């Protein structure tokens, strides 16, 4: 089972939209997929018309494999199940700080479903924390949406420094440009600069700034369902194909 984390230490970059569309795209490719919402805001579950989990609290997530499996819900789409969030997940860092260090508690929690799924997609909260450290260690790939602006460039630099400080392989990082507006010179210049600086760490696929993506909250479905032929939907397909070629060959 592969674990793909959709993560950014900056909010508002399209992380949840990426997790939702990536999970859907994987499922349509015939990959048995679980979308696990680790963000206490519960946006991923909302997009799939699911209410937050009531019984799977932050403590049970790590200690009760049976409850984790019971909390999983089927989506409306074949090969795609959802593990909704719980508001108590905001206490993950406190809980993890009280647990034994040196163990992959997140990896252990997910191991209970490894016989059921080929891929787990994690929708992660946008912060650098103890939970994010466990995510970085557990994930086979960390997918990072980056808006081509100076602030997003700075937060990516911070993330890379964290990986190096923790002696984590930066090859886990698979970045892509999100909310791209080709008419903006700043976007085009930043894309060129960052591709030069990070090379293969950036995927070729770029997700455009598009109202179809914003309307996901209205339709409560992936953009690949509601606007299948749109540039955004095609871009997510390309993103998924690139990730499959990278992640599944390792």
């Amino acid at each position: 089972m592969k674990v793909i984390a959709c993560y950014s230490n900056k909010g508002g970059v399209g992380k949840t939209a990426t997790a939702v569309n990536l999970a859907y795209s994987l499922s349509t490719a015939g990959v048995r997929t679980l979308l696990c919402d680790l963000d206490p805001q519960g946006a991923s579950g909302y997009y799939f018309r699911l209410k937050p989990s009531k019984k799977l609290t932050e403590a049970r997530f790590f200690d009760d494999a049976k409850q984790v499996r019971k909390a999983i819900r089927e989506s409306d789409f074949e090969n795609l199940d959802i593990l909704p969030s719980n508001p108590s997940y905001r206490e993950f860092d406190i809980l993890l700080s009280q647990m034994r260090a040196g163990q992959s508690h997140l990896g252990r929690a997910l191991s209970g479903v490894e016989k059921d799924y080929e891929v787990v997609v994690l929708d992660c909260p946008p912060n650098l924390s103890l939970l994010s450290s466990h995510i970085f260690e557990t994930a086979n790939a960390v997918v990072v949406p980056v808006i081509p602006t100076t602030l997003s460039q700075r937060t990516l630099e911070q993330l890379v420094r964290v990986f190096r400080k923790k002696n984590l392989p930066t090859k886990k990082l698979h970045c892509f440009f999100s909310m791209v507006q080709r008419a903006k010179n700043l976007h085009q210049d930043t894309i060129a600069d960052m591709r030069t600086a990070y090379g293969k760490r950036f995927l070729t696929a770029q997700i455009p700034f598009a109202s179809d993506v914003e309307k996901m909250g209205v339709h409560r479905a992936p953009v690949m369902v509601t606007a299948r032929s749109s540039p955004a939907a095609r871009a997510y397909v390309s993103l998924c194909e690139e990730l499959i070629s990278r992640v599944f060959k390792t």
Side-chain angles (χ1 to χ4, degrees):
M1 185 180 75
K2 300 291 187 181
V3 178
I4 300 176
C6 292
Y7 172 85
S8 173
N9 44 320
K10 187 179 189 305
V13 297
K15 172 185 57 63
T16 295
T18 299
V20 167
N21 284 287
L22 177 58
Y24 174 79
S25 186
L26 286 165
S27 70
T28 59
V31 179
R32 289 178 290 114
T33 305
L34 174 67
L35 174 58
C36 177
D37 192 350
L38 295 178
D39 192 331
Q41 297 182 71
S44 287
Y46 177 83
Y47 281 141
F48 285 100
R49 303 175 182 272
L50 295 172
K51 295 181 179 180
S53 173
K54 292 183 178 180
K55 295 183 178 179
L56 188 59
T57 60
E58 81 285 6
R60 283 187 165 183
F61 185 92
F62 293 109
D63 292 333
D64 193 339
K66 182 178 180 180
Q67 193 63 49
V68 169
R69 290 193 294 272
K70 287 177 63 177
I72 293 173
R73 298 289 180 262
E74 292 183 351
S75 74
D76 294 330
F77 309 104
E78 188 176 0
N79 294 319
L80 178 57
D81 292 341
I82 315 296
L83 182 58
S85 179
N86 181 291
S88 69
Y89 287 5
R90 63 175 59 93
E91 307 296 336
F92 267 154
D93 275 6
I94 296 174
L95 178 64
L96 287 168
S97 69
Q98 298 169 348
M99 300 174 74
R100 183 178 298 178
Q103 295 185 0
S104 178
H105 300 293
L106 178 59
R108 185 181 66 183
L110 296 177
S111 67
V113 300
E114 64 183 354
K115 293 182 180 179
D116 301 315
Y117 302 98
E118 296 170 87
V119 175
V120 174
V121 176
L122 304 177
D123 183 15
C124 308
N127 47 47
L128 287 168
S129 61
L130 191 54
L131 174 62
S132 64
S133 294
H134 282 260
I135 290 169
F136 301 155
E137 293 170 359
T138 301
N140 299 98
V142 180
V143 181
V144 186
V146 179
I147 300 176
T149 61
T150 303
L151 286 180
S152 290
Q153 186 174 10
R154 181 171 177 269
T155 55
L156 178 58
E157 291 169 356
Q158 293 172 342
L159 179 59
V160 171
R161 285 199 296 270
V162 168
F163 263 67
R164 289 173 176 165
K165 183 177 180 180
K166 294 180 177 294
N167 293 318
L168 294 169
T170 56
K171 67 180 182 180
K172 280 189 177 186
L173 296 173
H174 302 274
C175 311
F176 70 94
F177 292 108
S178 176
M179 300 184 181
V180 175
Q181 299 182 59
R182 296 183 181 277
K184 286 190 174 183
N185 290 333
L186 174 62
H187 279 208
Q188 295 303 320
D189 293 343
T190 305
I191 287 172
D193 290 344
M194 295 185 74
R195 286 200 183 280
T196 299
Y198 293 100
K200 293 182 179 180
R201 295 279 57 79
F202 267 91
L203 300 165
T204 301
Q206 299 180 12
I207 308 301
F209 182 83
S211 59
D212 288 324
V213 178
E214 294 180 319
K215 289 178 182 177
M216 284 175 55
V218 177
H219 299 300
R220 298 182 71 177
V223 69
M224 298 173 65
V225 173
T226 59
R228 189 179 301 274
S229 60
S230 67
R234 294 196 299 270
Y236 278 120
V237 171
S238 297
L239 178 70
C240 183
E241 290 174 348
E242 279 192 84
L243 281 171
I244 288 176
S245 67
R246 286 193 182 195
V247 176
F248 283 83
K249 70 179 180 181
T250 60

